[in-house]
Amino acid sequence: MTTPQWLSIGTLIGMMALFLWGRFRYDVTAVIALLAAVAIGIVKPKDAFSGFSDDIVIIVGSALVMSAAVQRSGVIELALGFVGRRVRRVRSQLLLLTASVGIASGLVKNVGALAMLMPAAVQMAKKNSASPSVFLMPMSFASLLGGLMTLVGTSPNIIVSRVRERMTGEPFGMFDYFPTGFGLLIVGLVFLRFGYRLLPRSRRAAPTMGEALNIGGYSTEVTISEGSPAIGERIGTFQRRHEGEVTIASLLRGGKRRSTHANAILHEGDLLILNGEPDALERVIAIDKLALEGTQRTVPEGRERDEIGVIEAVIGADSVLIGQTAVALLLQERYGVNLIAVSRQGKNLTRTLGRTPLQQGDVIVLQGPASLLPERLAELGALPLAERAIRLGRSKRGWLPVVILAAAMIATATGTVPVAIAFFAAAGLMVITGALPVGEAYEAIEWPILIMLGALIPVSDSLRTTGASDLIATGLAQAAAVLPPWGAVAMILIAAMAVTPFLNNAATVLVMAPIAGVFAHDLGYRPEAFLIATAIGAGCDFLTPIGHQCNTLVLGPGGYKFSDYARLGAPLSLLVVLVGTPLVIWTWPLH
């Protein structure tokens, strides 16, 4: 083994150690690996930034924009809502949700599909007095399986396609992944339909809004505005009209406290202290045109004042709220929203809300102008949990993003234009036509992923240029020489599946795909089956909440523990290996 080979393998091991340590975020770790590779000479300075000009970066970034536009359109949510109203049993709802998120993950990036359908899952669980934990982990696993079906479903598929193009001159097409991905999705859906019972029944979802406040409801100060239906109405009549969901705890008129007797009459300008559940208060404020006290809103000229909305959201991995307090961040002044509750799984918060440092996975309750809440949630890096009639983020051009996405898929599937051009054009059209605002398009792009890809491409390529990948692949081939063909494919699938929990799934493919290609060559096989197996293994982390964003996303809202993932995920992983291996070989013959 030559010195460059030792250095290349050493850099890879050091990078994996940093990923395991977790001291630095994955994109920073990739940058460290790139700088180290340049410093020790295994990556030439002129090639250091070649990864950022690679088509993979354009394809992944464009896919994220397309995914965000389709997610924003609300078309998939509408379809699910229509069917969901006719499905009542929990097990049937579980199958509906997992199938929906699985199919949606073939059209948009899997984490986007999961985030889009989580509110429906939480709402269904509430209606059935069940815990959302019954739905969320199975949905996460289904989204991972669904992402295996198409080129745009998950980043590993895009990267593997590029590796195949470099090896054979022909990339994988949009639907080349479909036979294996769809087969695994069907098997996975059947397993999850019955296997969800492996999850401990004691798990509770993150508290709802009322539970997060630790009271039956909360109090809000409102003023009866001009034109309100409540003007001239008796308090008893007001409360009966709203079916007793809210009560008037106090009434102030002209700064003086007045009686709240059922026969007392309400006047314009009265200040009311309302008690009730957050959802009920939101409806009453909107229906009766009540002005919420304490919410300072800047209303542009010519625009009507917004209704006030209340929403649950979970703090994401890249949220600006992490480590911040509402006071320090000037949440009201800068974003125009109020923080009215915080729920942190397994912990009792002792500080006031405004001075509580927030963490990833916290469930928060925000209050603010309803039409601005989607934009504010995106800016804050929080994902909605509660379904709302205002349809958060819904685009008026509902079907346009779907049409553009379909055109891009057809163009790439037929080979009319290269994938990078088709995706980039589709992403551009999403913005040009107004299906996705420019600001949201930039926010949809996961810049840390692109930075990691750009930095790791030359580092992973150093394995090839130094011959280290050939050396590793040859060693694996010698070990697999005694195995039947299916055993060799299973070895690569299991290896990728084992590495993914410790590396980002995209990083796993960047490292493993070239090795898999050489491995196949040394054994005298075609590379396609081994590349597909690599993509499947990298896309199927069912054992931990940290290997994939989908699993992390449901950790807090589902109330899961680290060990819960293996309970449901270990048998599913075994099933993927047992079913996926022959499925891959059948779809992509080795000779």
Side-chain angles (χ1 to χ4, degrees):
M1 185 180 291
T2 64
T3 299
Q5 289 173 342
W6 277 113
L7 292 174
S8 182
I9 294 175
T11 301
L12 174 63
I13 293 173
M15 181 181 69
M16 292 185 65
L18 285 179
F19 274 118
L20 280 171
W21 184 26
R23 174 65 177 82
F24 304 104
R25 200 171 63 181
Y26 54 83
D27 53 331
V28 178
T29 296
V31 170
I32 292 173
L34 175 59
L35 294 175
V38 172
I40 62 180
I42 58 174
V43 173
K44 296 179 181 179
K46 66 183 182 67
D47 297 326
F49 306 116
S50 59
F52 293 98
S53 62
D54 196 288
D55 284 355
I56 292 177
V57 176
I58 299 298
I59 293 171
V60 172
S62 300
L64 290 170
V65 172
M66 291 191 296
S67 175
V70 174
Q71 179 179 348
R72 189 176 190 271
S73 72
V75 169
I76 297 176
E77 290 174 281
L78 276 176
L80 179 63
F82 177 78
V83 177
R85 286 191 291 271
R86 291 158 176 78
V87 178
R88 300 297 181 184
R89 298 176 61 186
V90 171
R91 286 175 293 181
S92 299
Q93 290 176 340
L94 174 64
L95 182 59
L96 172 64
L97 289 167
T98 52
S100 298
V101 76
I103 294 171
S105 294
L107 301 175
V108 299
K109 199 170 185 294
N110 47 20
V111 68
L114 178 60
M116 181 167 50
L117 297 181
M118 276 178 63
V122 174
Q123 192 74 4
M124 284 185 182
K126 288 179 179 178
K127 289 179 180 178
N128 292 323
S129 299
S131 170
S133 61
V134 173
F135 297 141
L136 295 183
M137 189 185 296
M139 287 176 65
S140 175
F141 290 173
S143 72
L144 298 184
L145 292 171
L148 303 176
M149 294 193 298
T150 64
L151 185 66
V152 299
T154 185
S155 300
N157 289 357
I158 298 173
I159 300 170
V160 161
S161 175
R162 181 63 170 168
V163 172
R164 186 201 186 199
E165 184 178 21
R166 287 179 174 176
M167 295 181 64
T168 67
E170 183 181 358
F172 285 117
M174 176 64 70
F175 299 106
D176 284 346
Y177 302 90
F178 187 80
T180 53
F182 184 70
L184 288 173
L185 176 62
I186 295 300
V187 172
L189 291 178
V190 173
F191 168 78
L192 293 170
R193 166 64 176 75
F194 301 97
Y196 77 94
R197 294 185 179 89
L198 295 172
L199 291 172
R201 296 186 179 182
S202 60
R203 297 293 178 262
R204 292 177 56 85
T208 62
M209 284 183 283
E211 294 169 338
L213 291 162
N214 200 30
I215 52 176
Y218 65 90
S219 299
T220 301
E221 295 184 13
V222 297
T223 302
I224 300 179
S225 304
E226 181 182 359
S228 171
I231 297 175
E233 194 172 36
R234 298 182 186 277
I235 289 180
T237 305
F238 173 89
Q239 294 179 161
R240 285 194 298 273
R241 179 163 58 86
H242 294 295
E243 299 179 350
E245 291 185 318
V246 299
T247 59
I248 298 178
S250 183
L251 187 157
L252 285 82
R253 184 176 300 150
K256 296 181 179 180
R257 194 171 300 276
R258 302 292 178 131
S259 170
T260 56
H261 190 273
N263 290 325
I265 297 177
L266 299 174
H267 295 172
E268 180 182 345
D270 282 354
L271 178 65
L272 308 179
I273 308 295
L274 298 182
N275 287 340
E277 294 292 333
D279 287 342
L281 287 171
E282 180 185 3
R283 287 193 297 271
V284 171
I285 291 170
I287 292 172
D288 281 12
K289 301 178 182 178
L290 305 176
L292 189 66
E293 293 294 315
T295 302
Q296 301 171 359
R297 292 171 287 164
T298 302
V299 183
E301 185 177 352
R303 179 177 176 180
E304 294 182 358
R305 292 175 64 86
D306 291 326
E307 296 175 353
I308 297 301
V310 180
I311 186 169
E312 285 175 303
V314 61
I315 297 178
D318 299 319
S319 173
V320 297
L321 295 169
I322 296 176
Q324 298 283 347
T325 67
V327 172
L329 197 60
L330 299 177
L331 198 61
Q332 166 62 43
E333 292 81 355
R334 293 174 59 186
Y335 296 94
V337 297
N338 296 319
L339 177 67
I340 60 175
V342 177
S343 174
R344 184 168 301 158
Q345 182 66 26
K347 293 186 178 180
N348 294 320
L349 304 178
T350 57
R351 300 185 184 182
T352 59
L353 289 181
R355 301 188 181 279
T356 298
L358 301 173
Q359 298 178 6
Q360 178 184 349
D362 282 352
V363 178
I364 58 176
V365 183
L366 296 178
Q367 180 186 59
S371 64
L372 293 181
L373 277 175
E375 180 182 344
R376 295 297 180 258
L377 286 179
E379 292 176 5
L380 293 169
L383 290 166
L385 289 181
E387 189 179 71
R388 296 292 164 188
I390 58 174
R391 297 292 180 186
L392 295 175
R394 172 86 32 100
S395 171
K396 293 181 180 179
R397 298 172 173 82
W399 288 100
L400 184 58
V402 179
V403 172
I404 295 174
L405 176 63
M409 286 184 167
I410 293 172
T412 57
T414 58
T416 306
V417 293
V419 176
I421 297 298
F423 280 26
F424 186 77
L429 284 173
M430 297 288 190
V431 176
I432 293 170
T433 58
L436 187 69
V438 176
E440 292 188 28
Y442 280 107
E443 291 169 0
I445 298 174
E446 297 178 24
W447 298 104
I449 290 288
L450 300 191
I451 295 296
M452 184 198 71
L453 288 175
L456 281 189
I457 286 173
V459 174
S460 62
D461 194 49
S462 72
L463 292 173
R464 178 187 62 82
T465 57
T466 62
S469 60
D470 294 346
L471 195 66
I472 296 172
T474 300
L476 290 174
Q478 291 174 352
V482 298
L483 297 176
W486 62 264
V489 174
M491 174 185 285
I492 290 298
L493 196 159
I494 293 171
M497 192 178 286
V499 171
T500 298
F502 308 109
L503 295 180
N504 178 279
N505 57 357
T508 297
V509 175
L510 284 171
V511 172
M512 287 292 301
I515 294 175
V518 177
F519 176 79
H521 179 269
D522 288 349
L523 291 175
Y525 299 134
R526 292 180 58 83
E528 287 81 5
F530 296 89
L531 293 176
I532 293 289
T534 301
I536 291 173
C540 291
D541 173 31
F542 305 124
L543 301 178
T544 72
I546 58 175
H548 196 281
Q549 293 168 302
C550 290
N551 291 348
T552 304
L553 185 60
V554 301
L555 177 63
Y560 302 116
K561 294 183 178 180
F562 195 99
S563 59
D564 291 340
Y565 287 80
R567 294 177 66 118
L568 184 64
L572 182 57
S573 298
L574 180 61
L575 195 61
V576 167
V577 174
L578 294 178
V579 176
T581 299
L583 197 57
V584 168
I585 295 175
W586 175 74
T587 308
W588 299 96
L590 299 179
H591 297 287

